[in-house]
Amino acid sequence: AQSVTQLGSHVSVSEGALVLLRCNYSSSVPPYLFWYVQYPNQGLQLLLKYTSAATLVKGINGFEAEFKKSETSFHLTKPSAHMSDAAEYFCAVSDKGSARQLTFGSGTQLTVLP
Amino acid sequence: NAGVTQTPKFQVLKTGQSMTLQCAQDMNHNSMYWYRQDPGMGLRLIYYSASEGTTDKGEVPNGYNVSRLNKREFSLRLESAAPSQTSVYFCASGTGSLNEQYFGPGTRLTVT
């Protein structure tokens, strides 16, 4: 069974600083990986996805993530945090079966300090 | 194009009452999903439907039933609500070989 671990349930950064949100996966085969963002009282919105076409994936709002098979990681980064980035971020892994279920990490709440 | 819609947005139930959460998507997706979100636990899959006419249990199906009414609609029913079912419920639909999922705005349910 596949699983996702997000290190750090809360991360605080100053506005303009680097954002780094960590995600490690456990899967017997190279999976599909996703990052979602959830703003307060809203549903989840897809930030970016890893499809095996390229190890560095660029998403919306200036975020990107790098797939590292040797480290089983898919960390999310953004060079310069903005106040509007404050939200909860979820890493998810998808199996390749017919139903293609998503398994989510427990989430990381990002706070951006002025 | 409304995407994924859910009704109601908020609901308060007493223990033992029943209710149905409604979900509809207008993106012609084959797969639909129901999740619950609890603090510190991420999203957990309750039930899913890989295609019209099929449903399967997810990680936490106990106390719930679902109906895939047609390709657009997927409802979640609580037959006898319990306080442990207090949560935020999200419906999603998925498409493509990667199963990119699109989420509704959620239903906040409180069971007293």
Side-chain angles (χ1 to χ4, degrees), chain A residues 54-108:
Chain A
T55 56
L56 183 62
V57 181
K58 294 188 185 298
I60 61 172
N61 301 338
F63 283 93
E64 60 183 35
E66 186 172 9
F67 174 73
K68 291 187 177 181
K69 184 178 178 180
S70 60
E71 299 177 8
T72 60
S73 68
F74 190 57
H75 301 332
L76 182 71
T77 60
K78 182 174 180 178
S80 177
H82 193 271
M83 298 297 288
S84 61
D85 295 326
E88 190 156 21
Y89 293 80
F90 293 92
C91 183
V93 60
S94 174
D95 66 23
K96 295 184 179 179
S98 61
R100 300 186 181 89
Q101 300 175 48
L102 285 181
T103 300
F104 285 85
S106 55
T108 297

Side-chain angles (χ1 to χ4, degrees), chain B:
Chain B
N1 196 347
V4 179
T5 57
Q6 293 183 235
T7 55
K9 286 185 167 44
F10 301 93
Q11 184 71 49
V12 179
L13 292 178
K14 294 187 187 301
T15 297
Q17 288 184 319
S18 62
M19 78 161 296
T20 299
L21 282 63
Q22 307 286 353
C23 173
Q25 53 96 4
D26 62 2
M27 296 175 283
N28 201 36
H29 291 168
N30 285 323
S31 302
M32 296 187 74
Y33 306 82
W34 276 104
Y35 295 90
R36 61 178 288 172
Q37 183 180 29
D38 302 291
M41 303 188 75
L43 277 77
R44 293 181 292 168
L45 184 65
I46 305 171
Y47 271 93
Y48 65 96
S49 171
S51 61
E52 186 179 354
T54 68
T55 60
D56 284 286
K57 296 177 180 179
E59 180 185 353
V60 288
N62 290 346
Y64 305 96
N65 284 301
V66 290
S67 295
R68 182 75 184 266
L69 303 170
N70 47 55
K71 191 171 186 178
R72 290 187 65 247
E73 298 173 286
F74 189 39
S75 63
L76 177 73
R77 182 160 178 84
L78 286 69
E79 291 291 352
S80 179
S84 61
Q85 294 178 305
T86 293
S87 187
V88 181
Y89 291 85
F90 288 99
C91 177
S93 66
T95 186
S97 60
L98 302 178
N99 189 30
E100 186 171 322
Q101 292 188 18
Y102 297 82
F103 285 77
T107 294
R108 190 171 296 272
L109 175 67
T110 301
V111 183
T112 61

